[in-house]
Amino acid sequence: DFGSNEELITVESYASLEDAKSELTTNFNQVLSALEDEKKEVNLADNQKGFADIETDGNRWHWEIQSQIIQ
């Protein structure tokens, strides 16, 4: 639901940096497309290397790749 103003934090791990970048771009595009389908006004849509943000009047999505090696 894109109008819920709900706070949610998730953490995922990937086998490679390329996998993480691909998933970040996929998530960004899916949320942006869903917002456009619902005719929501998007104030900010920024997809950079390693992070992405989408902001509407009522919600904000932020994705960030953090490189930490687990041993």
Side-chain angles (χ1 to χ4, degrees):
D1 177 15
F2 293 106
S4 67
N5 294 322
E6 185 177 306
E7 284 192 40
L8 175 66
I9 296 173
T10 60
V11 176
E12 296 182 37
S13 61
Y14 298 90
S16 71
L17 182 56
E18 290 307 314
D19 289 347
K21 288 178 182 177
S22 175
E23 186 68 14
L24 182 147
T25 299
T26 298
N27 289 338
F28 175 85
N29 289 333
Q30 286 176 341
V31 170
L32 194 57
S33 177
L35 288 168
E36 290 171 355
D37 289 348
E38 290 188 13
K39 308 285 190 252
K40 300 277 186 182
E41 185 174 337
V42 176
N43 300 327
L44 170 71
D46 187 15
N47 187 3
Q48 299 285 325
K49 223 178 193 180
F51 76 90
D53 289 293
I54 297 176
E55 193 171 307
T56 65
D57 287 338
N59 284 306
R60 181 171 188 251
W61 291 262
H62 175 77
W63 297 270
E64 184 175 329
I65 296 174
Q66 298 180 352
S67 335
Q68 295 178 344
I69 298 172
I70 299 172
Q71 297 180 350

